[in-house]
Amino acid sequence: MGAGEKVMPEAVAPKPSEVSRPAVRPTTVYGASLHRLPRHGDMRGDLVVAEAEREIPFSIQRQFLVFNVPSPQVRGEHAHRTCHQFLIAVNGSLSVVVDDGTKRAEIRLNDRETGLHLAPLTWAVQYRYSSDAVLLVLASHAYDADDYIRDYDEFIDLVRGRS
Amino acid sequence: MGAGEKVMPEAVAPKPSEVSRPAVRPTTVYGASLHRLPRHGDMRGDLVVAEAEREIPFSIQRQFLVFNVPSPQVRGEHAHRTCHQFLIAVNGSLSVVVDDGTKRAEIRLNDRETGLHLAPLTWAVQYRYSSDAVLLVLASHAYDADDYIRDYDEFIDLVRGRS
């Protein structure tokens, strides 16, 4: 190629798959959205990155891993008053049922490039963990037992008060 | 058991293994330390938690996952000028060679309860990834190409200037 020629490198042109996949996809449930995380792959392996207050829409105060969950078990079953959460299946797969008090959806998390953002006052239940599943949860607040709403009827009262 | 009897539940008594395992263990390498993360297990599975500026000795600005690394491959091979990192093998296992310019150690990460803290100016190399390994790295800063020291001789000059 001669000097002065301007050719757009292939790597810069967005792939059709990228064009059709927006970085943030809402779900039918208010407060629950799917976030696609940038992936950088080469012969040395793959890297998926997420920065606080960018791909992850809050500052990260806490993180936890959930694993060794027997498949029939159900976890979660609560909402938070103020805490945001961001869920990534870092290994294996699991399902999350999200519920805003009006609508309910089930989301299968099965890749490391997808984060599920749960805003406060989103009821969530996790189940159908694969035997090798490892769930990473990033949270906007330190642990506070008073932030948990564990009673579904109380949750419904709170979200009806919101609207 | 009759009312009024006070029996210490077994679960409250620290296990010998816990008594002998401090939460933070230094390594022989300046700037590299091993942090034990609290684990909460029950019939619904296991949960390992870490809070920023507590178990993780900095605020978290970025996180990334490294996976699909072919076993012969070597990753890392750099130090940071200002960024702290905290490494957890969230699946499988891998080895990290840490180097402070004077001493060098190899650390095998193979459980989700152990975090390896790398302070700035700690040279680190990751290798011997198991085929199922997933490495989670929590970082104190957003990505900044200028924060990377990729030349080992430059690293040596910088750490000698420190002492």
Side-chain angles (χ1 to χ4, degrees):
Chain A
M1 194 190 321
E5 281 184 65
K6 283 184 185 170
V7 177
M8 180 73 79
E10 252 187 274
V12 171
K15 297 173 194 160
S17 61
E18 287 173 351
V19 174
S20 59
R21 287 179 63 201
V24 180
R25 281 180 292 155
T27 69
T28 54
V29 172
Y30 183 87
S33 53
L34 289 162
H35 296 238
R36 187 162 53 91
L37 306 177
R39 179 178 185 139
H40 307 279
D42 61 29
M43 58 175 286
R44 298 173 309 130
D46 289 304
L47 189 148
V48 170
V49 66
E51 293 193 0
E53 298 176 75
R54 288 189 56 174
E55 290 84 8
I56 299 163
F58 52 82
S59 71
I60 306 165
Q61 281 303 313
R62 179 169 50 123
Q63 65 104 16
F64 55 91
L65 296 166
V66 181
F67 52 98
N68 291 341
V69 180
S71 185
Q73 287 292 336
V74 169
R75 295 192 67 115
E77 293 193 282
H78 63 255
H80 284 275
R81 294 177 203 280
T82 56
C83 187
H84 289 255
Q85 296 197 314
F86 195 89
L87 282 62
I88 305 170
V90 295
N91 207 63
S93 57
L94 67 138
S95 293
V96 186
V97 173
V98 289
D99 180 335
D100 59 15
T102 306
K103 290 187 177 167
R104 182 172 281 216
E106 178 166 335
I107 293 156
R108 189 78 184 158
L109 296 179
N110 57 9
D111 71 83
R112 303 181 181 99
E113 289 157 81
T114 302
L116 171 60
H117 176 220
L118 302 177
L121 293 183
T122 307
W123 188 266
V125 177
Q126 302 133 32
Y127 79 128
R128 288 180 63 209
Y129 279 77
S130 66
S131 59
D132 60 347
V134 180
L135 171 65
L136 170 65
V137 180
L138 306 165
S140 64
H141 288 69
Y143 177 78
D144 174 8
D146 291 338
D147 194 59
Y148 287 72
I149 307 161
R150 298 194 179 277
D151 182 82
Y152 189 75
D153 291 337
E154 182 189 352
F155 166 70
I156 290 296
D157 288 347
L158 279 166
V159 292
R160 286 192 182 153
R162 175 177 64 184
S163 59
Chain B
M1 193 190 320
E5 280 186 64
K6 284 185 185 169
V7 178
M8 179 73 79
E10 253 186 274
V12 172
K15 296 172 194 161
S17 62
E18 288 174 351
V19 174
S20 61
R21 287 180 63 202
V24 181
R25 283 178 292 154
T27 70
T28 53
V29 171
Y30 183 86
S33 54
L34 289 161
H35 296 237
R36 186 162 53 90
L37 306 177
R39 179 177 184 140
H40 308 278
D42 61 29
M43 58 175 287
R44 298 173 308 129
D46 290 303
L47 188 149
V48 170
V49 65
E51 293 193 1
E53 299 179 71
R54 287 189 56 172
E55 290 84 8
I56 298 163
F58 51 81
S59 70
I60 305 165
Q61 282 303 314
R62 180 171 48 124
Q63 66 104 15
F64 54 91
L65 296 165
V66 181
F67 51 98
N68 291 341
V69 180
S71 187
Q73 286 293 337
V74 168
R75 293 191 69 112
E77 293 193 282
H78 63 257
H80 284 276
R81 295 177 202 279
T82 57
C83 186
H84 289 255
Q85 296 197 313
F86 195 89
L87 282 61
I88 305 171
V90 294
N91 206 64
S93 57
L94 66 139
S95 294
V96 186
V97 173
V98 288
D99 180 334
D100 60 14
T102 306
K103 289 186 176 167
R104 181 172 280 214
E106 179 166 333
I107 293 157
R108 189 79 185 157
L109 296 178
N110 57 8
D111 71 84
R112 302 180 182 99
E113 290 157 81
T114 302
L116 172 61
H117 175 219
L118 302 178
L121 294 184
T122 307
W123 188 266
V125 177
Q126 302 134 32
Y127 78 129
R128 289 180 61 209
Y129 278 76
S130 66
S131 60
D132 61 348
V134 181
L135 170 66
L136 169 65
V137 180
L138 306 165
S140 64
H141 288 69
Y143 177 78
D144 174 7
D146 291 338
D147 195 57
Y148 287 71
I149 306 160
R150 298 195 180 275
D151 182 82
Y152 189 75
D153 292 336
E154 182 189 353
F155 166 71
I156 291 295
D157 288 346
L158 279 165
V159 292
R160 286 191 181 154
R162 172 176 67 185
S163 59

